[in-house]
Amino acid sequence: MADNELPVDQVATMDLNDDAVQRHQFSDRVLIKSILTRPDGGAGLAGQQVRVGGWVKTGREQGKGSFAFLEVNDGSCPANLQVIVDKDVADLGQLVPTGTCVYVEGMLKNPPEGTKQKIELRVQKVVDVGMVDPAKYPIPKTKLTLEFLRDRIPFRPRTNTIAAVARIRNALAYATHTFLQKQGFLYIHTPIITTSDCEGAGEMFQVTTLISDADKLEKELIKNPPPSEADIEAAKLVVKEKGEAVAKLKSDKAGKEAISASVTELTKAKENLARLEERSKLKPGIPQKDGKIDYTQDFFARQAFLTVSGQLQVETYACAVSNVYTFGPTFRAEHSHTSRHLAEFWMVEPEMAFSDLKDDMNCAEAYVKFMCDWLLDHCFDDMEFMAKNYDKSCINRLRMVASTPFERITYTEAVELLENKVEWGIDLASEHERYLTEVKFQKPVIVYNYPKGIKAFYMRLNDDLKTVAAMDVLVPKVGELIGGSQREERYDVIKSRIEDMGLPLEPYEWYLDLRRFGTVKHSGFGLGFERMILFATGIDNIRDVIPFPRYPGRADL
């Protein structure tokens, strides 16, 4: 160990005062965030010995190859730590390529006056290196488009933008749980596989083993063909012969041992015939009954799908433990290639017993404001990056939404304000929603009491019998962010709504039972999580705000 090095157990914990940078609890390293995000930019840590690990953003040899500058980032914050390595410490050629992983130990020092850095790391020891061949590295150093990065999913988190989106997404998820937990909501895990269609749209991914089972059967029948008619007739003849042999032995009053042996042979012959007859019924292809696919032969013995929403299932808990929410992936088999659609996306869906539409709107507004405040308080450096590179108004938009009461208007009033741009009874399009929020009111708008014909069966029918107690929260940049409603708690009314929409009653019998037994007024909403990230960041395409985007033709990794 060199004279100016310290033992590993003393690295990064030199003293107990407030200026000591703390080592990560589950690693020997210090997070770069804990160095650079201090009020002094890390300057007060000069003289401390630390280990850091991260990936080289840029690297260059200087002084005719006598030392190298590395900009290292570990993902804990958007800022890079400047690392200086002398040629006597390591092979500089292995360290400077972009994408190289370095794990180094050294002394934090104040850089020369006039430089933008407040602190830099002088490396004394290279603990480990994950090398990169610059000629083959998938992420070039040039400015990259987000579309280009979609073809390099495994490596796009190493870019500044996608890493910032990941931290913002994480912060919004944390904020979601924090807000709802503080309000006494229980987090309920609803099923990914479902047998009911929440939206009644029919655009669902089917979950089935019939296809794979049919493929296996087809291969098995080729390898081991089913018995022919002659094979079965021959087996029947054997059974007949064995049966006659048993009968003869009994009539001849043969010994017990002989009769028993003959009966055993008859039993085997019958079992063989049964197997042959069963195999003869096997047919290649998907099993059918009455000209339709026979789903009783499927894994769940009925049609099953990937969920489009956890709402219906989470209502069972709302009708038992009052305030609940689900937060998980949902799926829509919609062949859309727009910048607003994904086949797999995440939804936050709170559900509240003893709450009406007004309570629902109040909760949704408070939740959105809480998330905006949370980003401003906990993710400001990433938001500054977004403002600089994607949407210069994104921080002001967060501040405005966090501090401004949302406008509330009925659907009918919205149609009137749109001045014949949309007819009553037609759903508002994205351009209508953005007009209301960005031009007319210049703040978030909650539109409520929609025509029943454009909303789901579970939304409570209003006294006018034309509208339902539904609401949408509209925000600048993305339009609809939240959709919700007071749920229909009256058994006769919701049964009629299901029938009127042409949906079968059988899959919803359990849902109707909630109205038959101990029904309760309740309401809830769903927030499209990726839409919230689009709103916050100003990024244009929803495929760039989810780690592993799924859309028609693409399901990488």
Side-chain angles (χ1 to χ4, degrees):
M1 185 168 64
D3 292 341
N4 56 357
E5 286 188 38
L6 290 173
V8 170
D9 61 354
Q10 293 183 40
V11 171
T13 55
M14 291 177 59
D15 56 51
L16 300 177
N17 63 44
D18 291 339
D19 286 332
V21 62
Q22 294 299 308
R23 189 172 64 205
H24 190 274
Q25 185 175 354
F26 306 114
S27 173
D28 283 338
R29 71 188 176 104
V30 168
L31 296 181
I32 290 174
K33 175 181 181 179
S34 64
I35 299 172
L36 298 182
T37 59
R38 291 163 51 98
D40 63 359
L45 300 174
Q48 293 201 32
Q49 191 95 354
V50 297
R51 277 187 178 182
V52 298
W55 288 263
V56 175
K57 292 291 187 178
T58 61
R60 64 187 189 279
E61 294 186 36
Q62 295 283 88
K64 298 182 179 180
S66 61
F67 66 96
F69 284 113
L70 309 177
E71 293 288 322
V72 176
N73 188 283
D74 65 0
S76 61
C77 67
N80 302 324
L81 177 65
Q82 181 164 282
V83 174
I84 302 172
V85 189
D86 291 328
K87 69 175 183 178
D88 297 334
V89 175
D91 180 352
L92 302 183
Q94 293 183 354
L95 302 180
V96 295
T98 296
T100 301
C101 181
V102 296
Y103 188 24
V104 296
E105 181 181 319
M107 185 77 71
L108 291 171
K109 294 192 174 183
N110 296 121
E113 287 188 20
T115 58
K116 66 177 183 177
Q117 290 85 8
K118 301 290 177 63
I119 196 75
E120 62 188 19
L121 179 67
R122 288 272 183 172
V123 173
Q124 298 157 345
K125 178 184 177 183
V126 175
V127 181
D128 204 1
V129 179
M131 292 186 290
V132 161
D133 181 348
K136 297 179 180 179
Y137 188 57
I139 306 293
K141 289 175 66 173
T142 56
K143 187 172 176 62
L144 306 171
T145 66
L146 295 177
E147 186 175 13
F148 173 88
L149 292 174
R150 284 178 223 139
D151 292 326
R152 289 151 181 83
I153 293 294
F155 289 95
R156 71 176 190 165
R158 297 192 187 184
T159 63
N160 295 333
T161 297
I162 300 302
V165 169
R167 288 185 292 268
I168 290 169
R169 186 182 178 100
N170 172 72
L172 288 171
Y174 198 149
T176 292
H177 288 296
T178 301
F179 174 80
L180 292 167
Q181 292 289 330
K182 282 185 174 180
Q183 298 298 326
F185 285 74
L186 294 182
Y187 179 29
I188 306 298
H189 297 142
T190 51
I192 300 297
I193 299 173
T194 180
T195 54
S196 55
D197 180 358
C198 176
E199 300 298 329
E203 296 165 335
M204 303 177 76
F205 286 103
Q206 189 165 344
V207 178
T208 180
T209 59
L210 290 178
I211 297 171
S212 59
D213 288 346
D215 286 343
K216 290 176 187 175
L217 177 60
E218 186 174 354
K219 291 175 183 176
E220 202 275 330
L221 290 176
I222 292 172
K223 184 178 180 181
N224 186 15
S228 65
E229 199 66 41
D231 294 331
I232 293 174
E233 288 303 317
K236 286 180 178 178
L237 184 59
V238 171
V239 170
K240 182 182 178 183
E241 290 173 349
K242 298 296 183 184
E244 290 172 348
V246 170
K248 188 172 187 310
L249 287 170
K250 288 181 177 180
S251 66
D252 291 346
K253 296 184 179 179
K256 186 177 180 181
E257 188 175 326
I259 293 174
S260 178
S262 186
V263 168
T264 299
E265 289 186 10
L266 173 60
T267 302
K268 289 180 179 178
K270 286 181 176 179
E271 289 173 349
N272 182 57
L273 174 60
R275 281 194 297 268
L276 291 175
E277 287 179 329
E278 191 64 32
R279 278 189 58 78
S280 71
K281 297 175 184 177
L282 296 176
K283 306 292 182 188
I286 305 293
Q288 295 205 344
K289 185 177 181 180
D290 300 329
K292 298 179 180 178
I293 294 174
D294 184 7
Y295 285 106
T296 63
Q297 302 300 310
D298 208 349
F299 188 91
F300 296 106
R302 62 190 299 181
Q303 276 188 290
F305 308 91
L306 294 181
T307 184
V308 296
S309 168
Q311 177 212 312
L312 299 189
Q313 288 84 358
V314 88
E315 279 188 55
T316 65
Y317 276 77
C319 294
V321 294
S322 299
N323 287 357
V324 295
Y325 70 104
T326 182
F327 181 9
T330 54
F331 308 85
R332 182 63 63 86
E334 186 175 0
H335 285 274
S336 173
H337 290 272
T338 74
S339 62
R340 289 290 183 271
H341 288 90
L342 288 167
E344 178 182 332
F345 50 97
W346 285 61
M347 292 290 292
V348 179
E349 297 175 290
E351 201 72 27
M352 301 170 286
F354 309 102
S355 297
D356 59 18
L357 182 64
K358 184 177 179 181
D359 299 319
D360 204 31
M361 292 189 286
N362 290 343
C363 181
E365 179 172 346
Y367 170 43
V368 172
K369 288 182 172 181
F370 185 89
M371 285 192 290
C372 293
D373 273 330
W374 189 275
L375 286 182
L376 292 169
D377 292 341
H378 297 87
C379 243
F380 196 75
D381 49 359
D382 285 307
M383 289 309 306
E384 285 183 317
F385 173 85
M386 290 297 165
K388 179 181 177 182
N389 293 280
Y390 290 95
D391 184 352
K392 62 183 180 181
S393 63
C394 65
I395 292 176
N396 287 336
R397 187 165 60 244
L398 289 177
R399 286 174 173 153
M400 180 273 289
V401 171
S403 61
T404 306
F406 292 9
E407 190 71 29
R408 299 187 185 189
I409 59 173
T410 66
Y411 167 87
T412 300
E413 290 169 336
V415 170
E416 292 170 354
L417 290 171
L418 289 167
E419 298 173 343
N420 298 320
K421 292 185 177 72
V422 62
E423 293 182 21
W424 198 97
I426 305 297
D427 208 356
L428 303 183
S430 179
E431 61 266 26
H432 303 139
E433 296 167 345
R434 293 187 63 175
Y435 170 80
L436 291 173
T437 60
E438 296 172 13
V439 179
K440 182 65 181 178
F441 294 106
Q442 297 182 9
K443 62 177 179 177
V445 178
I446 301 180
V447 179
Y448 63 97
N449 287 350
Y450 278 81
K452 68 178 183 179
I454 59 174
K455 290 296 181 181
F457 69 86
Y458 51 75
M459 299 186 176
R460 195 180 201 279
L461 189 64
N462 287 327
D463 292 342
D464 62 11
L465 303 182
K466 296 191 301 181
T467 62
V468 289
M471 65 91 179
D472 288 342
V473 178
L474 315 179
V475 295
K477 183 69 180 174
V478 299
E480 182 189 338
L481 178 64
I482 285 175
S485 72
Q486 183 174 340
R487 314 311 189 190
E488 183 56 77
E489 84 281 10
R490 296 164 296 182
Y491 172 78
D492 292 340
V493 178
I494 194 168
K495 182 173 179 287
S496 297
R497 290 277 287 147
I498 292 173
E499 291 172 333
D500 291 346
M501 295 189 74
L503 296 171
L505 283 174
E506 189 274 330
Y508 300 101
E509 282 296 338
W510 63 270
Y511 191 67
L512 291 171
D513 281 346
L514 296 176
R515 278 72 182 167
R516 289 188 184 103
F517 309 110
T519 190
V520 61
K521 174 179 69 176
H522 60 290
S523 64
F525 61 82
L527 172 135
F529 196 58
E530 284 73 30
R531 288 196 172 198
M532 181 64 202
I533 304 170
L534 288 177
F535 161 76
T537 62
I539 285 177
D540 290 323
N541 198 308
I542 199 167
R543 298 172 184 178
D544 302 318
V545 296
I546 190 168
F548 304 100
R550 272 81 174 99
Y551 48 95
R554 295 299 291 268
D556 298 340
L557 278 61

